[in-house]
Amino acid sequence: MKVLGKVTLPLFCGLFLVSSCQPSSVEDVMAGTLGFDINHIDSSFSPCEDFFMFASGGWIAENPIPASEARWGSFPILIEENEIKLRGLLEGLEGKEFPKGSYKQQLRDYYISAMDSITVEDLGLESLRPYLDNVNGIKNRNDIKSYLQYAVREQIGVPFGMYVGADSKNSEAYALYFSQSGLGLPDREYYFKEGEVSDQIRQKYVGHITEMLQLAGVENAGRQAADIMALETEIANNHMNRRDQRKPELTYNKMDFESFAGLMPFFNWNTMAEELSINADSVIVRQPDFFRAMDKIFNNSDVDVWKSYFTWHLLRKYSDYLPHDFVKSSFDFYGRALSGTTENKPRWKRSINKINGGLSEPLGRLFSDKYFSPESRNKVEKMVEDIRAVYRERIMENEWMNEDTKEKAIEKLNAFNYKIGYPDNWKDFSQVEILPNDLVGNRQRITVYQFKDKLARLGTAVDKSEWFMGAHVVNAYYSPSFNEIVFPAGILQPPFFDAKADDAVNYGAIGGVIGHEFTHGFDDQGRKYNAFGNLSSWWSTEDSARFAERTQKVVEFYSKLSPVEGYFVDGELTLGENIADIGGLTLAYHAYKKHISKTGSKVINGFTPEQRVFLGWAKVWQSQATEEFLRKQVQTDPHSPSQYRVNATMSMIPEFKQAFECEEDDPLFITEEERAIIW
Ligand SMILES: [Zn+2]
């Protein structure tokens, strides 16, 4: 995703032990055509020793992490490039006439309201006044109940989640889901993990709560902050951990509405259902134990502590919509202490982020109108089909699945839908009033509108044309319920995809990403959904056991990796992503091999076509991160750190060993015993 460096030099041979490394003989190409910059290579590493550093060391040495970033590399750089494009587009809307309610009027005025720091400073806490007054009005436990009703209606935050999505066992119907929530730290483990670093983070967190309460004029802020921390710790103690949250069978608890209401009778669910005209006989509860525990916590904790808690969470949630002092305090904790950044992002970037929160789809529309071509769609479509064809063959040929399960796997693979670029239909937000001088109001009106729009879908057929990511976003996703893979226009740019670049690099980069998303349909979670997007057991018992045997090797291998002293990759938490990386790149590699069997290929700058596929993948993960970021990543993120998305993936793929002729004593070489070939 970055366009970095311009000069391409003939390649250094003898930097690594590859027979193909002849004196940059066959063809040298200009940077931009090759698809990656030769100067990013660090020849002091051999590919079989540390492929990540080999491919990216040169870039890393010359590109320190900017002060406002916690990690820097291909993803964040393309994200920034897209932000710059969006800024230009948004500023270009100013001073023009657009009909009220049109997406351009809304984007323009939202951006103006977010950029208007003078109004935000003048307003102080006034924009939150009605909500804060409501908290202050709480006198007893019954008032807490009323406040919760109010907070759900206004969508200002309550310690549980409530949303509408496709029913995991009936993907054609919408269901109402309830989930755990309520923490100010990133995860339950942050409240309990032992050690100096964790102790310090908790201290700083309490300090941050204190500061925010003081800024809001609260008395005894220090004591209240300690109470809030104690309350959150109790809530955290009743949270399901991240590993279990990844198991669809544990988080699918369908029950009738009355049974659900009985889990946490403290809250008057029937009143809520009536007020919001909810049409649902049954609901799906992600973590029933959490709701049972919350009932006790609501009943037993001090009313004043709940008041402090609600005040804190309002300030936390809206910190970036408030005057500078609040923004700074929030950055000092969440940016500096938790992520290791030393400077906040500029206001224009934070303003785009705000729009992205509520009007992501219109923002993507503005982007893709200008920056996406049908030609890119055609090329990517071809790669999707190439990769699907290879996957089909590999499933047919694999040695560990029985014929019945294979047949069902192929059925699922054939049923995969894909979306590329941007949605066919744009959501209609014309009812939502967006004003140039009402930042918090804009956010609220959009949030409440979207919440009600989703609730109104209960009882209707699932809209399969819906996108869950703006078209400008640098990312891609697999949806198990829709059984589809989605690639927004935002990611279909260099270094992920470059219509003019070497095919090998494109297959390794965007091809690897496409393969990754396909493989999610058959990772430890995705495999539990069938061709229709329903959670259902279509695997034979023996095949499930053989799958688990293989994935266990992946868990063990990744669990040994430690990016920061004392912090290890969680092999279980990251299992699905690791399976997708290994499977995805393997698929892309073989799709490319098929492609060149028709078109032919050459050595370029000393690299064989096969080597360039792996370099294409490495380029996608070219990055570096702060220690704070890495600590947070291994505790909360299902994705492994970038260096392992390259090196561990290479260790698991035998085709990489062949391409670079790695030897048994090379660090990236692992034995057949350790390796797991799943897809
Ligand atoms: Zn993924």
Side-chain angles (χ1 to χ4, degrees), residues 449-467:
Y449 174 83
Q450 290 190 326
F451 178 60
K452 290 193 172 157
D453 170 66
K454 285 282 180 159
L455 288 178
R457 296 192 198 184
L458 288 166
T460 70
V462 169
D463 173 10
K464 296 278 170 109
S465 72
E466 187 173 13
W467 282 54

Side-chain angles (χ1 to χ4, degrees), residues 516-517 520 577 580 639 645:
H516 174 102
E517 300 305 338
H520 270 316
E577 295 299 335
H639 301 90
R645 298 194 75 165

Side-chain angles (χ1 to χ4, degrees), residues 372-384:
F372 188 68
S373 73
E375 189 203 353
S376 306
R377 177 177 278 162
N378 295 341
K379 285 212 167 193
V380 175
E381 255 177 29
K382 181 186 177 298
M383 288 176 91
V384 169

Side-chain angles (χ1 to χ4, degrees), residues 180-183 185 187-192 229-241 290 294 297:
Q180 65 189 20
S181 180
L183 306 180
L185 286 170
D187 187 67
R188 63 165 279 153
E189 305 312 323
Y190 275 76
Y191 293 84
F192 305 109
M229 183 62 174
L231 178 58
E232 284 191 15
T233 306
E234 204 181 342
I235 296 173
N237 198 28
N238 290 289
H239 263 224
M240 181 186 276
N241 68 42
F290 169 80
M294 283 307 283
I297 298 175

